[in-house]
Amino acid sequence: MNDLAPLLTAEGQALLDAVRGIAPADELAVATRLRREHPAALVSAAIGQAGLRRRAAVKFGAEDADRMFFTANGVEQSTRASVAGYRAARMRALGVASVADLCCGIGGDAIAFARAGIRVLAVDRDPVTAQAARFNAEALGLGELIEVREADVTEVDTGGCDAVFVDPARRGGRGRVFDPEAYSPPLSWAVGAALAAPRAALKIAPGVPHEAIPAEAEAEWISDGGDVKEAVLWFGAGEPGAVRATLLPGPRTLLGGGLPDPRVRPVGRYLYEPDGAVVRAHLVADVAREVGGGLIDETIAYVTADALLPTPYATAYEITDRLPFNVKKLKALLRERGVGILTVKKRGSAVEPEELRRKVLSKDRGPHSATVFLTRVAGAPTMLVGAPAGPAATAGGAS
């Protein structure tokens, strides 16, 4: 069904109530029963919407997701509510009272802006997506703060807004798009729109090359619970050329100090695994300075140190063993230690963690746990064995 409006009718709402919480395994049986009394297309739309709401609950929370309307692309591309809320709060702190949300999708960012007290002009050219955004604003009681417009964002006048937020589509017919100029609209257009506004934020893929970041922007990488979610280019906020990593929940923000690459040093007692946002922002040197450490290899983002120092930007592990890469030796070591629960982490290694875990854990597994890092030390394939170093140094998420 290419129109969400039938789901807003009394019959559509009744069907949505009837399929709320339905398990995927029960969909066929429920659909067969409901089609005896309701149009097949409407039943399919309701069951499809229930599935999308189930997926969206991870990003929006079950309470909001159960009242919202989604498209498949909308669920996939929408921002997690915690991240959108952080960005909206930063916009509000900058004094923004109105924002043009260009490429608004199903309205996740617009909802966050409105809940921060910011008036929103939300624009999307896809009719069903814009329809979903409009329905969602009303469903969450934010209709007075969010105006949804179905239009091409390149033709919309944003002159009356304090700020512009652009979230270009980064998926095409063949999947995820990595070239910023292949975004829809292209990054160059989004940058032009940002420079023409008093303040702006552009959401981009976290893997964007640093050389593609315009000099006028501050670049921020955001992770939530240790998972890198996005990069944001800020204009009219912060210092042009500045780089920061922000960790949620918190937020905790590490502002880059422009440090040179850390020195490579021998593996010490502790290994620090920087949060993924720190790695993407190229701020490993700042973490190394904070803990008084260095790199285990010039190409690997693991920091080693002799002391255990608390930092929210990396997870600390105490290293007990260092071995050249050798599956048999690792298996013998784990059997000797009675390890039955093994966490495998890797940087700079092609070995698949599940494959290694299957090969090295004995059938008569012991009760203890361990972490093994598959990596390189001074260029040599190496296995570092250890365990989390304790809560004082593990406030950050692991990448």
Side-chain angles (χ1 to χ4, degrees):
M1 184 176 290
N2 294 321
D3 182 7
L4 295 172
L7 291 174
L8 289 181
T9 64
E11 185 177 20
Q13 290 292 305
L15 279 171
L16 285 173
D17 288 339
V19 299
R20 179 175 282 112
I22 181 175
D26 298 330
E27 287 181 356
L28 181 58
V30 172
T32 300
R33 175 173 56 81
L34 292 175
R35 283 171 182 160
R36 296 171 188 153
E37 299 178 4
H38 304 280
L42 188 60
V43 172
S44 295
I47 290 178
Q49 194 60 223
L52 293 174
R53 285 176 169 180
R54 186 168 55 245
R55 289 169 52 196
V58 176
K59 291 185 174 182
F60 292 91
E63 184 177 350
D64 279 355
D66 249 5
R67 293 186 287 166
M68 296 171 67
F69 291 85
F70 299 96
T71 65
N73 284 338
V75 173
E76 183 71 28
Q77 298 182 23
S78 58
T79 306
R80 186 182 290 255
S82 55
V83 178
Y86 161 75
R87 268 199 269 96
R90 189 173 178 193
M91 278 278 197
R92 187 65 181 173
L94 291 169
V96 171
S98 60
V99 62
D101 180 1
L102 307 181
C103 309
C104 69
I106 54 89
D109 289 291
I111 290 166
F113 287 130
R115 284 176 167 168
I118 299 173
R119 186 167 295 278
V120 187
L121 169 62
V123 183
D124 203 285
R125 69 180 180 182
D126 180 72
V128 179
T129 303
Q131 186 182 45
R134 190 174 295 112
F135 290 164
N136 291 338
E138 294 294 338
L140 299 180
L142 299 169
E144 292 186 1
L145 283 172
I146 301 174
E147 174 195 348
V148 179
R149 191 177 300 176
E150 180 191 328
D152 186 327
V153 296
T154 64
E155 299 174 358
V156 173
D157 180 10
T158 62
C161 296
D162 298 337
V164 166
F165 173 72
V166 189
D167 181 7
R170 294 180 297 283
R171 285 186 178 273
R174 296 184 177 181
R176 195 178 298 275
V177 173
F178 296 97
D179 178 7
E181 284 308 297
Y183 292 174
S184 180
L187 181 60
S188 57
W189 179 88
V191 170
L195 292 172
R199 301 189 189 280
L202 311 183
K203 175 183 172 182
I204 57 176
V208 64
H210 279 230
E211 56 267 24
I213 297 172
E216 301 91 342
E218 175 199 90
E220 179 178 31
W221 278 261
I222 302 173
S223 70
D224 187 11
D227 295 327
V228 184
K229 294 303 178 183
E230 64 183 54
V232 185
L233 304 183
W234 293 90
F235 297 79
E239 188 72 26
V243 175
R244 65 169 67 198
T246 295
L247 281 56
L248 303 176
R252 297 183 176 93
T253 295
L254 178 64
L255 185 62
L259 302 177
D261 291 340
R263 64 188 177 90
V264 176
R265 52 148 290 173
V267 176
R269 182 176 178 182
Y270 297 99
L271 187 77
Y272 291 85
E273 182 185 28
D275 183 271
V278 172
V279 176
R280 293 283 194 175
H282 295 180
L283 299 182
V284 175
D286 297 79
V287 169
R289 181 179 64 175
E290 191 170 321
V291 301
L295 298 180
I296 63 171
D297 184 280
E298 62 181 5
T299 64
I300 304 295
Y302 284 140
V303 174
T304 186
D306 298 316
L308 179 59
L309 296 174
T311 174
Y313 305 111
T315 302
Y317 295 83
E318 184 172 9
I319 300 303
T320 57
D321 300 273
R322 171 183 171 180
L323 306 170
F325 183 81
N326 187 298
V327 174
K328 289 184 178 179
K329 288 184 177 180
L330 179 61
K331 183 174 183 177
L333 176 67
L334 298 178
R335 186 189 302 116
E336 178 187 332
R337 301 280 172 81
V339 172
I341 303 171
L342 183 66
T343 300
V344 181
K345 293 175 171 286
K346 66 171 191 171
R347 281 182 183 167
S349 173
V351 177
E352 290 299 324
E354 280 302 322
E355 181 183 355
L356 181 71
R357 191 180 290 109
R358 177 176 55 81
K359 289 181 177 179
V360 300
L361 287 180
S362 304
K363 292 182 180 179
D364 51 339
R365 298 180 180 183
H368 303 299
S369 61
T371 301
V372 60
F373 294 87
L374 306 178
T375 187
R376 291 193 303 272
V377 174
T382 303
M383 300 182 295
L384 301 174
V385 182
T394 57
S399 62

